[in-house]
């Protein structure tokens, strides 16, 4: 095989010499097609470049009529060349004119050529053009010839990607064309900047191998090291044992040992490429095929193969898998497949303008951190880390879930104006900071802030929030490298209380488990973690864990008002058990001379539907209740909020959800205890309207939501809204959602949404 491929290696060397010559782009292309035709013993070699509008244009040819250059065009999908561009697959035909897709272009003079071999010019899975050779005689092109032409097409791709043809193009090349991508709204706001890849791709600069034996050896060594690193991931202690996480890693290991993948890598090197170029070429071919698949399983495998190829490239080059954080541009939009909350905090927040995620929705933990630091986020943007090049201009709209890649000037201008409008609106909200949150008919509404990190806390004074209505203590644990000791926890909780200037803080005990896994704790094997061992269930089953947190909270609250609430309470008995644990810790404090809190309030989160039938029992025991609307809705509708297929199937403004929420508010009134809603549902003006109509007088939300909600409340007639919503719920007309009716109500009353 090595002798048979000497021709392709010689061609690569000659093409490299042509690429280095100080000549125009057109002259370079003309020389390249001559070299390819000569090397492959073909009478014709032609290069077609794909434009952003989907047209393929003949850019250079050896053998066809020269007058056809820049005159002959076809649509993507039209003719054999268009078919290759659309399918991103090579096509070898001994009798091209009898193929059903054959399209005759009289100006080219190609009717005398019978056999045809064409390959897509690919980069990163994107089709940039088509490279074709033709012969007059009937000819069966060999696999080696197809492979050689594909390797040559890779060089053409780099020439196009480098922008060398830009002066010849009437518009942007397909690789640089603007893209409008859709995702899921996660954190509102508009971000304009330049792309920074969280896990940067290796830029392959050396394509042609000097020594094939050395390149094969480098490839084999890198593959062995890659396998070893994956084996360590599979076997290391914190992921050992059965479970979905292990199955994912086993699949990853299976790909790393796939003989077909490894064979294609070795064959690509044997055509004359460096090991890095071979990995890039094989992955580009694979990506081009998989992105066109309709089978969701096969498309999902693209992520695995992308990451595998990226790891192998990093293994070959020795580069880090993580972006150099100090190298951020002034306006950085970070693009990542996924990200943990601690990783986002590593970036310079003064330079960070936004975050785009392939995986991750509004309930992900990184979204909570992003809200805290005021960074707009769009999630669930398919394949964005492969479609974006470092340094690309990016615009993300966190409210609409849109990402504009390399935007056209008019789009950029429109979003710049939207960003300026948003800034003006935020200034209006800041002016409302000291205005009491009282409805038009005189009903006072307590607006509180959700928090989870120390960096959240300055927003309390900035927004005029009445208190911290929900402090998620687990976030402090999730960004730590090890489980914090009691002394460290006490210091953290005391810092929170000190930072809010005497305002109350409601601390939620650890809500871990499910999708909230501490990096230093083993993940239990559970078929459905969302319904499994999490939150108060862990605390009651592992009392040492909960007791250490309660002890730290009570010490931090010495001499002050302390509010503690327990998540995922499923029945009144669980609240009794948690309250008894607090009583034991208070006795322990007194015995050891610690000052207890001046006033202690204990509450429960209402988020498990079973509690809806024990509200009177709970309300008679608790000092307050807080509704976790995100989880309550998830469990009420049996919808996994992280499952993209069903997460948006039901609406929080549905009659069943509103009736459930209304029953909690009513129970609070019966027992004269405060009820607060802490989910993001209450942070939307329309959601807040419905909640006030249902009788809620306390809402807790992210800092950025306080201004818009207060602006709506100032114009709301609470009594009128209550009567209107009451009539809607009483009508029982079978509507799936009251959103249209409530939106119309808000518009009639000029309420800002």
């Amino acid at each position: 095989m090595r002798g048979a491929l000497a021709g392709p290696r010689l061609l690569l060397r000659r093409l490299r010499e042509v690429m280095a010559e100080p000549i125009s782009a057109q002259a370079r292309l003309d020389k390249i097609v001559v070299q390819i035709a000569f090397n492959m013993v073909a009478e014709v070699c032609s290069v077609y470049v794909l434009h952003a509008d989907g047209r393929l244009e003949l850019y250079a040819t050896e053998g066809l009529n020269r007058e056809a250059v820049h005159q002959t065009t076809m649509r993507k999908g039209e003719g054999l060349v268009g078919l290759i561009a659309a399918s991103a697959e090579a096509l070898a035909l001994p009798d091209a004119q009898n193929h059903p897709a054959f399209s005759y272009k009289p100006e080219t003079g190609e009717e005398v050529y019978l056999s045809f071999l064409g390959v897509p010019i690919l980069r990163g899975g994107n089709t940039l053009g088509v490279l074709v050779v033709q012969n007059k005689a009937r000819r069966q092109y060999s696999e080696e010839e197809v492979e050689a032409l594909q390797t040559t097409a890779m060089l053409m791709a780099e020439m196009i990607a480098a922008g060398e043809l830009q002066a010849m193009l009437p518009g942007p090349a397909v690789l640089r064309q603007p893209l409008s991508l859709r995702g899921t709204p996660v954190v509102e706001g508009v971000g304009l900047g330049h792309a920074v890849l969280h896990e940067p791709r290796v830029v392959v600069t050396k394509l042609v191998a000097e020594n094939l034996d050395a390149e094969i050896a480098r490839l084999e060594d890198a593959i062995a090291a890659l396998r070893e690193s994956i084996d360590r991931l599979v076997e290391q202690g914190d992921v050992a044992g059965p479970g979905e996480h292990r199955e994912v890693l086993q699949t990853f290991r299976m790909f790393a040992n796939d003989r077909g993948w490894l064979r294609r890598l070795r064959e690509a090197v044997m055509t004359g490429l460096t090991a890095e170029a071979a990995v890039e070429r094989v992955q580009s071919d694979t990506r081009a095929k998989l992105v066109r698949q309709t089978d969701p399983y096969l498309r999902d495998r693209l992520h695995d193969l992308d990451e595998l190829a990226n790891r192998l490239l990093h293994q070959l080059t020795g580069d880090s898998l993580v972006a150099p954080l100090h190298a951020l541009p002034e306006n950085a939009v970070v693009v990542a497949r996924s990200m943990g909350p601690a990783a986002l905090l590593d970036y310079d927040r003064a330079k960070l303008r936004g975050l785009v995620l392939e995986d991750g929705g509004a309930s992900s933990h990184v979204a909570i951190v992003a809200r805290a630091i005021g960074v707009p986020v769009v999630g669930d943007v398919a394949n964005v880390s492969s479609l974006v090049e470092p340094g690309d201009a990016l615009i993300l709209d966190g409210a609409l879930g849109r990402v504009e890649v390399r935007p056209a000037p008019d789009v950029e201008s429109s979003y710049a104006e939207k960003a300026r409008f948003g800034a003006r609106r935020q200034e209006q909200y800041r002016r409302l900071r000291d205005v009491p949150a009282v409805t038009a008919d005189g009903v006072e509404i307590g607006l509180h802030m959700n928090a989870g990190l120390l960096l959240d806390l300055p927003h309390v004074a900035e927004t005029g929030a009445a208190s911290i209505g929900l402090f998620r203590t687990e976030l402090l644990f999730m960004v730590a490298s090890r489980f914090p000791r009691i002394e460290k926890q006490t210091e953290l909780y005391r810092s929170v209380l000190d930072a809010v200037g005497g305002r109350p803080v409601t601390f939620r005990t650890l809500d871990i488990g499910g999708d909230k896994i501490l990096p230093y704790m083993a993940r239990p094997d559970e078929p459905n973690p969302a319904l499994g061992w999490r939150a108060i269930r862990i605390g009651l089953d592992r009392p040492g864990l909960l007791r250490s947190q309660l002890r730290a909270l009570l010490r931090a609250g010495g001499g002050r008002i302390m509010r503690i609430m327990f998540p995922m309470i499923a029945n009144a008995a669980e609240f009794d058990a948690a309250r008894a644990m607090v009583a034991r810790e208070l006795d322990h404090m007194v015995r050891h001379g610690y000052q207890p809190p001046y006033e202690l309030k204990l509450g429960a989160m209402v988020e498990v539907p079973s509690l809806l039938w024990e509200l009177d029992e709970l309300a008679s025991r608790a000092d307050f209740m807080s509704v976790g609307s995100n989880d309550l809705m998830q469990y009420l509708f049996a919808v996994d909020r992280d499952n993209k297929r069903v997460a948006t199937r039901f609406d929080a403004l549905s009659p069943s959800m509103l009736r459930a929420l209304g029953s909690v508010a009513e129970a609070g009134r019966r027992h004269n205890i405060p009820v607060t809603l802490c989910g993001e549902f209450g942070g939307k003006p329309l959601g807040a309207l419905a909640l006030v109509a249902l009788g809620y007088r306390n809402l807790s939300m992210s800092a950025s939501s306080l201004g818009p909600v207060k602006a709506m409340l100032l114009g709301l007639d609470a009594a009128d809204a209550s009567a209107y919503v009451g009539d809607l719920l009483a009508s029982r007309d079978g509507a799936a959602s009251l959103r249209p009716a409530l939106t119309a109500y808000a518009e009639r009353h000029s309420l800002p949404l």
Side-chain angles (χ1 to χ4, degrees):
M1 183 177 175
R2 188 167 296 192
L5 291 176
R9 295 203 299 274
L10 177 62
L11 173 61
L12 287 180
R13 284 199 294 273
R14 288 183 175 169
L15 291 181
R16 185 174 59 181
E17 293 169 0
V18 173
M19 300 286 272
E21 291 183 29
I23 55 179
S24 70
Q26 186 64 62
R28 196 182 318 283
L29 274 178
D30 292 340
K31 278 196 169 189
I32 285 172
V33 293
V34 170
Q35 288 286 350
I36 296 171
F38 176 79
N39 183 269
M40 296 198 66
V41 195
E43 283 120 344
V44 171
C45 177
S46 305
V47 175
Y48 297 83
V49 175
L50 182 63
H51 292 281
D53 61 5
R55 288 181 305 111
L56 285 151
E57 179 181 332
L58 178 63
Y59 259 62
T61 186
E62 167 66 10
L64 299 184
N65 293 335
R66 293 295 179 105
E67 293 76 14
V69 172
H70 300 304
Q71 301 302 316
T72 295
T73 62
M74 63 200 72
R75 297 184 308 277
K76 197 174 180 180
E78 177 188 356
L80 299 177
V81 173
L83 177 63
I84 294 167
S87 65
E89 294 186 3
L91 184 63
L93 300 169
D95 186 358
Q97 296 179 22
N98 284 323
H99 191 281
F102 180 78
S103 176
Y104 174 53
K105 297 290 183 180
E107 70 273 15
T108 64
E110 64 179 332
E111 68 275 9
V112 298
Y113 301 103
L114 199 59
S115 50
F116 173 100
L117 170 59
V119 298
I121 300 173
L122 298 172
R123 189 170 190 270
N126 296 305
T127 302
L128 308 186
V130 177
L131 180 59
V132 173
V133 294
Q134 293 171 273
N135 288 86
K136 291 179 181 178
R138 184 185 296 269
R139 177 176 171 185
Q140 191 72 51
Y141 295 100
S142 67
E143 289 184 10
E144 288 83 1
E145 288 173 315
V146 175
E147 184 80 16
L149 199 61
Q150 287 175 322
T151 298
T152 307
M154 184 177 183
L155 285 181
M156 302 296 303
E158 293 306 314
M159 184 178 177
I160 296 172
E164 189 168 351
L165 305 184
Q166 194 62 46
M168 300 163 61
L169 294 171
V174 68
L175 189 67
R176 308 304 303 162
Q177 68 178 325
L179 295 175
S180 184
L181 307 177
R182 299 301 298 266
T184 301
V186 176
V187 179
E188 288 192 18
V190 174
L192 294 87
H194 294 88
V196 173
L197 296 184
H198 179 56
E199 295 178 342
R201 295 192 297 272
V202 173
V203 178
V204 179
T205 56
K206 186 178 180 183
L207 302 179
V208 182
E210 300 287 350
N211 183 319
L212 281 189
D213 291 330
E215 293 302 318
I216 287 290
R218 291 181 63 238
L219 180 65
E220 298 290 354
D221 289 345
I223 290 170
L226 176 68
R227 286 172 171 170
E228 184 180 342
S229 68
I230 294 171
D231 287 342
R232 285 198 302 270
L233 276 176
V234 173
E235 303 303 335
Q236 65 188 24
D238 59 344
V239 295
E244 184 182 6
H245 60 287
R246 187 173 176 83
E247 291 172 10
V248 170
L249 287 173
Q250 291 284 16
T251 302
F252 202 44
R253 179 157 66 178
M254 179 188 72
F255 282 127
N257 288 275
D258 180 73
R259 291 184 178 181
W261 185 63
L262 299 173
R263 174 180 52 79
R264 290 194 296 275
L265 290 175
R266 295 184 182 104
E267 288 176 351
V269 172
M270 293 304 297
T271 64
L273 294 175
T274 61
E276 293 91 337
V279 174
E280 188 171 89
R281 211 211 83 187
V282 169
Q283 184 55 19
S284 186
D285 292 347
T286 304
R287 162 169 283 281
K289 292 180 177 66
L290 289 183
V291 295
R292 289 163 174 80
Q293 292 289 330
T294 56
D295 186 332
Y297 174 80
L298 291 176
R299 289 177 63 89
D300 286 346
R301 298 289 66 78
L302 181 56
H303 291 291
D304 299 327
L305 288 168
D306 270 343
E307 183 168 347
L308 199 62
N310 201 38
R311 283 178 176 270
L312 186 53
L313 283 170
H314 283 283
Q315 197 75 53
L316 282 162
T317 60
D319 290 345
S320 169
L321 276 163
V322 180
L325 302 182
H326 62 275
L328 279 186
E330 282 303 315
N331 298 299
V333 177
V334 174
V335 177
R337 287 190 178 91
S338 61
M339 184 185 287
L344 183 61
L345 293 174
D346 286 336
Y347 285 96
D348 183 350
R349 292 189 289 281
K351 297 180 177 180
L352 195 58
R353 297 293 175 265
L355 174 64
V356 181
L357 299 168
E358 284 190 18
D359 296 307
S363 60
S364 63
H365 310 126
V366 71
I368 295 170
V369 174
R371 286 189 194 98
I373 62 179
V375 173
V377 182
V378 177
D380 298 328
V381 184
N383 301 320
V384 65
S385 60
S386 298
L387 296 171
V388 168
E389 295 289 327
D392 275 347
L394 283 187
I395 300 173
L396 72 152
D397 188 328
L400 298 178
R402 296 186 69 92
V403 179
E404 303 292 337
V405 183
R406 302 177 288 271
D410 58 333
V411 174
E412 190 167 359
S413 175
S414 174
Y415 270 101
E417 177 56 35
K418 186 172 183 177
R420 287 191 289 271
F421 175 76
R424 290 194 297 270
R425 190 169 58 180
Q426 287 301 320
E427 181 56 38
Q428 294 172 359
Y429 295 150
R430 277 191 285 273
R431 288 198 289 269
L432 293 178
R433 182 188 66 181
D434 299 322
V435 176
V438 178
T439 65
D441 58 338
V443 177
E444 185 175 350
I445 307 297
L447 294 183
H448 312 271
M449 197 183 96
N450 295 340
L453 296 165
L454 293 176
L455 56 86
D456 287 318
L457 303 180
H459 297 315
V460 178
E462 292 170 7
T463 59
S467 78
I468 298 288
L470 165 65
F471 192 89
R472 303 177 175 96
T473 60
E474 63 273 3
L475 289 183
L476 296 172
F477 288 73
M478 291 171 70
V479 300
S481 58
R482 55 178 296 180
F483 195 92
R485 295 183 177 275
I486 291 178
E487 294 77 13
K488 181 65 175 176
Q489 289 187 56
T490 304
E491 179 185 338
L492 288 170
Y493 304 142
R494 191 174 285 138
S495 298
V496 172
L497 292 167
D498 290 342
V500 296
R503 289 178 173 88
V505 178
T506 301
F507 291 94
R508 182 178 69 186
T509 59
L510 278 176
D511 187 3
I512 56 173
D515 62 338
K516 301 174 185 175
I517 302 300
L518 302 184
Y520 39 81
M521 289 184 66
R523 180 172 181 168
D525 175 24
E526 295 185 293
N528 192 334
L531 300 179
W533 199 53
R534 55 172 294 198
I536 194 63
R537 299 169 185 179
I538 295 178
L540 295 178
D541 289 352
R542 296 287 185 269
L545 179 70
L546 182 55
R547 286 180 59 190
S548 68
Q549 186 179 28
L550 291 173
R551 188 169 297 181
L553 285 166
L554 294 171
R555 287 182 184 179
R560 315 193 213 202
I561 297 174
M562 171 56 65
R563 293 170 58 87
I564 301 173
M565 67 178 173
F566 302 102
M568 283 287 289
I569 295 292
N571 53 50
E574 286 185 336
F575 180 76
D576 287 341
R579 188 174 59 174
M581 200 176 292
V582 174
R584 287 195 293 272
E585 288 305 315
L586 279 173
D587 290 342
H588 179 274
M589 288 186 72
V590 173
R591 289 198 310 271
H592 290 81
Y594 289 98
Q595 184 182 15
Y598 165 72
E599 182 181 284
L600 179 62
K601 299 288 187 181
L602 300 179
M605 294 286 290
V606 180
E607 48 197 347
V608 180
S610 60
L611 204 53
L612 296 174
W613 285 271
E614 286 195 31
L615 287 172
D616 287 318
E617 291 89 332
L618 178 66
S620 65
R621 293 161 164 79
D623 297 309
F624 63 92
M625 293 188 296
S626 293
V627 179
S629 59
N630 296 344
D631 270 327
L632 180 60
M633 182 171 169
Q634 171 175 238
Y635 298 132
L636 193 65
F637 289 108
V639 164
D640 180 356
R641 66 189 188 194
D642 293 323
N643 185 328
K644 299 169 190 174
R645 294 191 176 189
V646 295
T648 59
R649 189 179 185 91
F650 299 99
D651 191 350
L653 287 168
S654 65
S656 53
M657 181 69 176
L658 293 180
R659 288 182 185 118
L661 292 171
S663 68
V664 183
E666 178 58 35
R669 285 193 294 273
R670 283 198 303 272
H671 293 269
N672 197 30
I673 65 169
V675 177
T676 302
L677 188 132
C678 298
E680 290 304 317
F681 171 50
K684 305 290 185 184
L686 196 63
L689 187 163
L691 291 167
V692 170
L694 291 171
Y696 282 82
R697 298 298 177 256
N698 289 283
L699 304 173
S700 192
M701 62 200 70
S702 62
S704 61
S705 298
L706 284 160
V709 168
K710 182 183 283 189
M712 184 278 299
L713 290 174
L714 295 176
L716 177 68
D717 186 318
D720 185 72
S722 181
Y724 180 71
V725 171
D727 289 343
L728 289 175
L729 293 175
S731 70
R732 299 186 180 272
D733 62 359
S737 172
L738 301 188
R739 185 173 298 273
L742 288 171
T743 301
Y745 177 88
E747 290 173 351
R748 286 197 302 273
H749 293 81
S750 302
L751 299 175
L753 299 180

